Amino acid sequence: MSQRPPATAPRGAAPSCLTPRARRCSPAPSAASPAPPAPSLPRGAAALLALALISVLSACTQVRYVAQASLGQISMAWRAEPLKDAASDARRPWRTRALLREVPHIKRFGERHGLTPTDNYRTYVELDRPAAVWVVSACEPLRFRSKTWSFPIVGTVPYLGWFDLDDAKAFAAPLKAAGWDVDVRPAGAYSTLGWLEDPVLSTMIDDGDEALGELANVVLHESLHATLYLKGQTRLNESLANFVGNELAKVYLDERVGPSSVEKVSYLRGQERSEARVSALHAAYVELNRLYASPAPDAEKRAEKQAVLARLAAKIGARRPLNNAALVQFRVYNSGAPELSALLATCGGSWPRFLGALRKLEDHHFSAPQENIGKVVEPLIQAGCR
């Protein structure tokens, strides 16, 4: 799944065979505009969805987690309606219908730029909650070392996503009790990596003039996951998806509504605010990393850590507590942009060539899970995008 800097403005993790995206979460649908009833999913199809998730997850996760992942996905399938029907239903606000009609255009645009064609985003789900999933991550309190979980398809991941907030909090509680820094953040979208057909979600639609750019961003971000996914390399997977979504959304807006349009200007302003947050988060990460490596006593480190985080929270207007887990997740989604930009330039600005070069990466190119992005991308640049 996918998101913006997780510490401040999430975009999307779902059940960990799904990947979340960090993005701003839209408010829940208004009671004044009830969603029309969704067509029923055949019970056999629902059972197949459950079996598909269980076959992927049950070998290495607790029954409770597998059950919520399966039931959450089944619930999505039950509530889904064809995108065309949702986009033409007069009971929905005109603005929502107009944005839903953009989704096929965004998909075709992505495919022209090298993203894999899929059956995703052919349905729509109106959620009665402010997020698609809630993402739980944990980190050591005096070192930036994440707790990880392992799965047979996606490998090692530094987060788990829950369809129910109470379940997420219940999962987080024993981690906190064990001394971990724990972060629970909302995510407005996620990807099943092509294993299932992902729907457009109401939480993917923003309120302001930036909504078209943000919708393009999230669809392109999640489509990247279905195009290229490297097992056990969440930092590369998410940072690459963020890079692709951020940059290609600008091109889409230029083509679709024009570089001087209200939609493009509003989207760029949002990007600038996000980049300012990223800069502040990075500075705090560097400062704390230096502190943790120092010979100072642990009590002194903890006190200084709280002072750094308090200054950061005030600077970025954080809406939930900040800790190591929030900062390390920011790194998961916001690493390697200079190297990825350099690779794109080396590929002559061609997104298909850029993605083709990255597809050459294999397990032996990585010395460890969550490898430094520059270390693996630099050889591709030196090879001249061949």
Side-chain angles (χ1 to χ4, degrees):
M1 304 174 186
S2 331
Q3 308 151 15
R4 286 284 148 128
T8 55
R11 205 168 272 231
S16 66
C17 70
L18 323 178
T19 112
R21 165 173 171 75
R23 74 180 296 275
R24 285 187 290 277
C25 290
S26 304
S30 166
S33 303
S40 296
L41 179 75
R43 294 189 184 276
L48 286 175
L49 284 172
L51 289 172
L53 281 172
I54 289 172
S55 67
V56 172
L57 297 176
S58 60
C60 57
T61 55
Q62 297 176 352
V63 171
R64 178 167 64 98
Y65 183 75
V66 176
Q68 72 86 30
S70 302
L71 291 174
Q73 195 62 38
I74 289 171
S75 175
M76 291 286 188
W78 274 104
R79 301 172 68 173
E81 60 179 306
L83 185 67
K84 288 184 177 179
D85 292 351
S88 61
D89 195 315
R91 288 174 291 180
R92 285 197 171 84
W94 176 88
R95 180 178 178 279
T96 299
R97 287 181 280 142
L99 287 167
L100 293 180
R101 287 194 291 270
E102 286 292 317
V103 173
H105 296 287
I106 298 169
K107 286 189 62 181
R108 288 194 293 271
F109 169 85
E111 291 162 11
R112 283 198 287 114
H113 288 82
L115 298 179
T116 299
T118 69
D119 289 332
N120 290 341
Y121 307 125
R122 299 192 305 174
T123 59
Y124 176 71
V125 175
E126 188 89 37
L127 294 176
D128 54 2
R129 57 184 190 260
V133 291
W134 282 267
V135 184
V136 179
S137 58
C139 183
E140 293 184 22
L142 292 178
R143 180 167 56 167
F144 285 119
R145 177 173 291 182
S146 295
K147 181 174 179 59
T148 59
W149 295 266
S150 295
F151 297 85
I153 300 299
V154 299
T156 301
V157 294
Y159 52 60
L160 291 180
W162 300 79
F163 282 98
D164 183 83
L165 178 57
D166 289 338
D167 287 344
K169 290 179 176 179
F171 180 75
L175 293 172
K176 291 180 181 178
W180 293 91
D181 272 9
V182 179
D183 185 47
V184 179
R185 62 179 172 83
Y190 64 84
S191 170
T192 59
L193 308 180
W195 287 88
L196 301 172
E197 293 184 17
D198 298 332
V200 178
L201 304 174
S202 55
T203 48
M204 293 164 61
I205 297 176
D206 283 6
D207 282 337
D209 290 330
E210 74 279 6
L212 177 57
E214 289 291 342
L215 180 60
N217 190 318
V218 70
V219 169
L220 295 167
H221 176 121
E222 302 300 350
S223 296
L224 185 281
H225 287 314
T227 299
L228 178 63
Y229 188 89
L230 292 159
K231 184 177 180 179
Q233 300 299 331
T234 306
R235 182 185 294 184
L236 176 59
N237 293 327
E238 295 295 358
S239 292
L240 174 60
N242 244 19
F243 177 78
V244 170
N246 290 345
E247 298 304 315
L248 271 183
K250 298 174 188 175
V251 181
Y252 178 78
L253 290 171
D254 286 344
E255 290 188 9
R256 190 70 176 161
V257 292
S260 300
S261 63
V262 171
E263 294 87 349
K264 175 69 180 295
V265 171
S266 297
Y267 176 74
L268 289 180
R269 286 175 180 164
Q271 291 285 93
E272 290 170 0
R273 291 191 294 271
S274 178
E275 288 167 7
R277 288 192 297 269
V278 167
S279 178
L281 289 161
H282 176 71
Y285 179 96
V286 170
E287 184 176 0
L288 287 175
N289 199 38
R290 187 182 303 117
L291 172 68
Y292 299 152
S294 76
D298 283 358
E300 184 178 322
K301 290 180 180 179
R302 292 180 189 278
E304 181 59 23
K305 169 188 174 182
Q306 293 309 312
V308 170
L309 292 176
R311 291 194 296 271
L312 174 63
K315 185 171 185 177
I316 65 176
R319 290 174 289 181
R320 68 181 193 278
L322 297 178
N323 56 28
N324 280 5
L327 285 179
V328 81
Q329 281 291 292
F330 138 76
R331 298 275 291 183
V332 168
Y333 287 87
N334 295 278
S335 296
E339 292 85 359
L340 293 171
S341 294
L343 178 60
L344 180 61
T346 301
C347 296
S350 167
W351 289 94
R353 290 185 64 204
F354 170 81
L355 294 172
L358 288 165
R359 282 193 179 96
K360 296 174 184 175
L361 293 175
E362 298 177 355
D363 289 346
H364 69 269
H365 291 106
F366 301 90
S367 60
Q370 320 311 328
E371 184 69 87
N372 178 280
I373 294 177
K375 183 177 178 180
V376 294
V377 172
E378 187 61 35
L380 301 178
I381 299 171
Q382 296 300 322
C385 194
R386 290 191 297 273

